[in-house]
Amino acid sequence: QVIKCKAAVLWEANKPFSIEEVEVAPPKEHEVRIKIMATGICRSDDHVVSGALVMPFPVILGHEAAGVVESVGQGVTSVKPGDKVIPLFVPQCGECKSCLSTKGNLCSETDLGTRAGLMPDGTTRFTCKGKAVYHFLGTSTFTEYTVVHESAVAKIDPAAPLEKVCLIGCGFSTGYGAALQTAKVEPGSTCAIFGLGGVGLSVVMGCKVAGASRIIAVDINSDKFAKAKQLGATDCINPKDFSKPIHEVLLEMTGGGVDYSFEVIGRTDTMTAALACCQCNYGVSVIVGVPPAAQKITFDPMLLFTGRSWKGSIFGGWKSKDAVPKLVADYMKKTFVLDPLITHTLPWTKINEGFDLLRTGK
């Protein structure tokens, strides 16, 4: 059956979300229709609103969520109606080069490539006012019901609180994994994290779990420092408090640079500062924030020639279908906390207020 439900549709860039009635088609072969129970707001969604991440319109955004399977298409074996699940914006088909490699996690079925906004068969499952509406990152969670490919959904512990573990769908896993999986932070090491939003704070948690002895949190909003310290930061610094470039401040603070740095904002100037602040010979810098469209980085190649490594990390380097159920199990075992990452809980019709809170750093 086609389901009629409410969704937050973005008709064009730089406009508020509009709560509309949409029609959600039934799942086709190897697809799953999910009733979304909780969704987080991520800066990547806002990048589409601002035009920094280019996507086709109209679109239903949202990619960090948890829900319950409503129905499944033909051939679906990994989940059944009633299962609690997390949609995966990085799918895991199990067959492409990245999925088959022990080093990779960016499945070729991802929506970050050429098929932006459509299901693998090149069509959409959403209609609004007679118009086709695009999907976002193969998930589209700002709606009461969504359809995802079977490779983009993970079954989780039925006892898990969906309003908390939805964060494992993006923000928490992305930051935590950047420290543990991508950088492979070692005990006793020194780390610097640029940007203390939900993902940056999750990097702080990952560095702490990995046994880093010094975790330096960097943000231009000092209101974020108390929470960063609560989660494991040993030092907090605001670039606005210094006259010299922040990478020089960090080099001095650490006697020659940090072992690991993380850029969790998505700005080219902070990406180069994060690279420059790590140790010149064996420092590793990880780009975690989504880079802005159509911007290039200019930097002195000597920064890399001396031995530094520059890496990117998507979804924390986790193989999504394998890792998400395990991360949920770890949360249930209290290996890590999620509550400090949740600042507000709003009814989803107040989605525009939620984005205002994100943009004002609250």
Side-chain angles (χ1 to χ4, degrees):
Q1 300 291 74
V2 169
I3 288 180
K4 285 187 176 177
C5 68
K6 293 274 191 277
V9 178
L10 189 67
W11 292 98
E12 54 184 303
N14 297 305
K15 287 278 177 9
F17 292 90
S18 168
I19 304 288
E20 307 275 8
E21 183 177 83
V22 298
E23 287 159 16
V24 185
K28 295 189 184 179
E29 194 175 6
H30 293 296
E31 292 177 359
V32 180
R33 189 159 60 181
I34 303 168
K35 181 178 170 73
I36 298 290
M37 307 304 284
T39 185
I41 288 176
C42 175
R43 183 66 80 173
S44 307
D45 301 305
D46 193 45
H47 284 334
V48 180
V49 181
S50 69
L53 187 58
V54 180
M55 289 285 161
F57 294 103
V59 63
I60 294 173
L61 297 177
H63 62 283
E64 178 181 90
V68 177
V69 174
E70 177 271 334
S71 58
V72 298
Q74 218 180 327
V76 171
T77 54
S78 59
V79 295
K80 62 185 186 305
D83 284 347
K84 281 192 179 179
V85 292
I86 287 178
L88 310 169
F89 75 91
V90 172
Q92 187 183 344
C93 72
E95 291 160 16
C96 69
K97 269 191 164 173
S98 289
C99 282
L100 292 172
S101 164
T102 54
K103 302 182 222 175
N105 76 320
L106 185 57
C107 175
S108 66
E109 291 296 306
T110 173
D111 190 25
L112 285 162
T114 44
R115 260 200 329 263
L118 299 169
M119 294 296 284
D121 71 350
T123 62
T124 162
R125 301 290 166 270
F126 300 120
T127 317
C128 181
K129 298 178 178 169
K131 288 186 76 165
V133 177
Y134 288 98
H135 296 247
F136 178 57
L137 299 183
T139 48
S140 287
T141 63
F142 294 165
T143 168
E144 293 175 317
Y145 288 87
T146 192
V147 177
V148 304
H149 192 267
E150 186 180 13
S151 63
V153 62
K155 180 180 170 180
I156 60 165
D157 181 344
L162 299 184
E163 73 284 1
K164 313 266 196 232
V165 297
C166 62
L167 295 176
I168 291 172
C170 176
F172 172 75
S173 307
T174 295
Y176 192 67
L180 295 176
Q181 294 273 115
T182 308
K184 298 188 164 57
V185 170
E186 295 134 335
S189 53
T190 303
C191 303
I193 295 103
F194 288 70
L196 300 176
V199 185
L201 292 170
S202 301
V203 177
V204 170
M205 287 197 253
C207 292
K208 186 178 181 191
V209 164
S213 59
R214 196 164 183 199
I215 301 170
I216 305 166
V218 184
D219 202 298
I220 55 172
N221 178 354
S222 300
D223 294 346
K224 303 205 170 210
F225 292 167
K227 193 166 276 186
K229 287 202 158 147
Q230 176 196 335
L231 293 172
T234 54
D235 309 69
C236 293
I237 58 173
N238 188 331
K240 289 178 169 172
D241 295 341
F242 301 91
S243 53
K244 60 174 73 168
I246 191 66
H247 73 272
E248 291 181 16
V249 175
L250 286 157
L251 290 170
E252 278 177 21
M253 275 177 75
T254 55
V258 299
D259 299 307
Y260 300 97
S261 69
F262 301 85
E263 199 280 354
V264 204
I265 303 162
R267 289 177 57 111
T268 53
D269 55 344
T270 40
M271 288 173 189
T272 39
L275 178 68
C277 83
C278 62
Q279 207 276 345
C280 71
N281 179 221
Y282 53 80
V284 176
S285 188
V286 184
I287 293 176
V288 189
V290 177
Q295 282 195 26
K296 302 284 182 272
I297 289 187
T298 308
F299 69 101
D300 178 355
M302 187 55 82
L303 286 170
L304 292 178
F305 174 74
T306 56
R308 288 181 182 87
S309 304
W310 213 353
K311 302 177 104 168
S313 179
I314 190 155
F315 193 57
W318 305 107
K319 286 191 186 286
S320 58
K321 229 171 151 75
D322 295 343
V324 163
K326 290 182 185 146
L327 287 165
V328 170
D330 283 348
Y331 169 74
M332 299 299 278
K333 285 188 268 190
K334 298 189 166 52
T335 306
F336 54 81
V337 292
L338 291 172
D339 281 34
L341 302 179
I342 301 169
T343 56
H344 297 75
T345 304
L346 300 167
W348 82 273
T349 45
K350 292 196 174 172
I351 187 163
N352 288 308
E353 291 176 36
F355 273 85
D356 289 339
L357 289 164
L358 173 76
R359 290 169 194 139
T360 51
K362 294 183 177 150

